[in-house]
């Protein structure tokens, strides 16, 4: 679920919109992504107020996450 949440945020550009799309609460989605970042030892998303941007590591991970999710 962590990769799915990450890809959803990357697609939506927002934690709130991604949570709505995934049918989960925003805190649950945020926790899943926080755990993924912790496991990988790097930040994947830059939180910019209400919007989100992928970090360099997030940019590298996204195509792999999308492939796994297919």
């Amino acid at each position: 679920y962590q990769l799915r949440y990450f890809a959803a945020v990357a697609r939506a550009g927002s934690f709130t919109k991604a949570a709505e799309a995934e049918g989960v609460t925003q805190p649950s989605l945020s926790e899943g992504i926080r755990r993924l970042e912790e496991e990988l030892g790097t930040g994947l998303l830059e939180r910019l107020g209400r919007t989100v941007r992928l970090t360099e590591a997030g940019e590298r991970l996204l195509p792999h996450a999308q492939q796994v999710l297919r």
Side-chain angles (χ1 to χ4, degrees), residues 6-28:
F6 166 69
V9 172
R11 190 171 44 253
S14 156
F15 278 81
T16 302
K17 290 177 184 175
E20 288 172 7
E22 291 296 312
V24 298
T25 65
Q26 188 271 331
S28 295

Side-chain angles (χ1 to χ4, degrees), residues 3 63-70:
L3 284 178
H64 300 288
Q66 291 169 328
Q67 185 175 3
V68 167
L69 294 169
R70 279 189 218 111

Side-chain angles (χ1 to χ4, degrees), residues 14-52:
S14 156
F15 278 81
T16 302
K17 290 177 184 175
E20 288 172 7
E22 291 296 312
V24 298
T25 65
Q26 188 271 331
S28 295
L29 183 127
S30 294
E31 177 64 15
I33 291 175
R34 186 194 65 76
R35 286 182 181 190
L36 178 61
E37 289 176 322
E38 191 174 277
E39 288 173 19
L40 296 175
T42 190
L44 300 171
L45 302 163
E46 269 186 71
R47 285 98 170 143
L48 307 166
R50 294 183 182 258
T51 61
V52 177

